[in-house]
Amino acid sequence: MPAILLIEDDPLVRRGLQLALSRHGHGVRTAETGEVGLRELRSSAPDLVVLDLMLPGIDGFEVCRRIRAAGDVPVIILTARGDDFDVVGGLEAGADDYVVKPVQPTVLDARIRAVLRRGAGGSGDVRVHRDLRVDTTALTVSLRGSPVSLTPTELRLLLALSRAPGRVFSRQQLLEEVWDHDYLGDSRLVDNCVQRLRGKIEADPATPVYVQTVRGFGYRFGPV
């Protein structure tokens, strides 16, 4: 049973989502503020956090940044409007995905399961690219012998790109493969995840060696 931490200040929304996600097979703990949510995160170690952005006190953007600084637990943000400011701000803070409120519990359940899905598919192997080592069986990554901590979404993105060095993947292809959803061309998920991944595996993210941009087309993994 996946352990979910729901941080939402609206008591009706909080209780409704808790009941609905419980019926979908999740174990759900809740928090009504960012401060309480961060304490609950430390004490309960959830598999995933569902985070409302508009919270009293510490807002959701800051909560997301603190969650990401503390570890690799995935985060799905809830935004009331889905406007560019909320979505881009949340993704830049380190969120793995977003859902626009009011949200259907079945949609949120599908997004949770997609983010938590870790299977690489096919037989496992170890991919070595210069100083980067990707173990697709153990789902571990190391750089120059030191482990690299990636979120599940960052790991799936790296697995997708590194399986075919030199091949150009469009943003839409990566959306369908990594996020398991049709986002109707919403490339912000891909671009923000690429930026975070580069920050962890590139010596100079401004001149990437591994995750390279092909302007007008998408991204490719640098040839060995």
Side-chain angles (χ1 to χ4, degrees):
M1 177 182 292
I4 308 300
L5 173 59
L6 170 64
I7 308 176
E8 165 65 62
D9 67 313
D10 187 314
L12 293 178
V13 174
R14 187 171 64 246
R15 183 58 176 162
L17 287 179
Q18 182 183 26
L19 291 172
L21 291 176
S22 296
R23 287 195 294 268
H24 281 89
H26 303 285
V28 185
R29 301 177 73 94
T30 64
E32 66 275 14
T33 67
E35 292 90 340
V36 174
L38 289 170
R39 290 199 298 269
E40 186 67 35
L41 178 75
R42 291 190 290 270
S43 64
S44 65
D47 297 309
L48 181 142
V49 176
V50 177
L51 172 66
D52 184 29
L53 289 178
M54 298 297 105
L55 296 171
I58 303 176
D59 66 22
F61 300 100
E62 179 60 23
V63 172
C64 189
R65 282 189 285 269
R66 294 190 189 186
I67 292 173
R68 187 56 62 239
D72 58 4
V73 59
V75 177
I76 295 178
I77 55 175
L78 300 177
T79 170
R81 298 178 303 278
D83 61 25
D84 285 348
F85 177 81
D86 282 358
V87 172
V88 173
L91 294 175
E92 289 180 345
D96 294 272
D97 202 347
Y98 72 92
V99 177
V100 178
K101 294 162 64 176
V103 59
Q104 292 295 323
T106 53
V107 173
L108 182 55
D109 171 60
R111 300 288 178 86
I112 289 171
R113 294 184 185 279
V115 170
L116 291 175
R117 191 172 297 120
R118 293 171 180 266
S123 58
D125 64 349
V126 175
R127 305 168 187 171
V128 179
H129 309 274
R130 302 184 185 181
D131 295 328
L132 189 69
R133 184 179 187 274
V134 182
D135 188 326
T136 69
T137 301
L139 297 181
T140 58
V141 178
S142 60
L143 183 65
R144 292 184 290 277
S146 299
V148 179
S149 178
L150 300 180
T151 69
T153 306
E154 292 163 357
L155 177 58
R156 287 197 301 273
L157 177 61
L158 180 58
L159 289 171
L161 290 169
S162 66
R163 76 163 188 265
R167 173 186 168 186
V168 179
F169 290 83
S170 70
R171 289 172 173 83
Q172 190 61 40
Q173 286 174 318
L174 292 171
L175 282 170
E176 293 170 359
E177 181 162 346
V178 175
W179 281 265
D180 283 349
H181 287 285
D182 181 1
Y183 281 86
L184 300 177
D186 188 350
S187 63
R188 295 170 295 190
L189 286 165
V190 178
D191 295 338
N192 278 277
C193 192
V194 165
Q195 289 176 13
R196 298 200 306 270
L197 179 59
R198 283 174 172 167
K200 295 180 178 181
I201 66 172
E202 301 285 1
D204 180 5
T207 55
V209 171
Y210 299 114
V211 183
Q212 302 173 350
T213 301
V214 180
R215 296 191 181 278
F217 293 94
Y219 296 101
R220 71 181 175 198
F221 196 83
V224 178

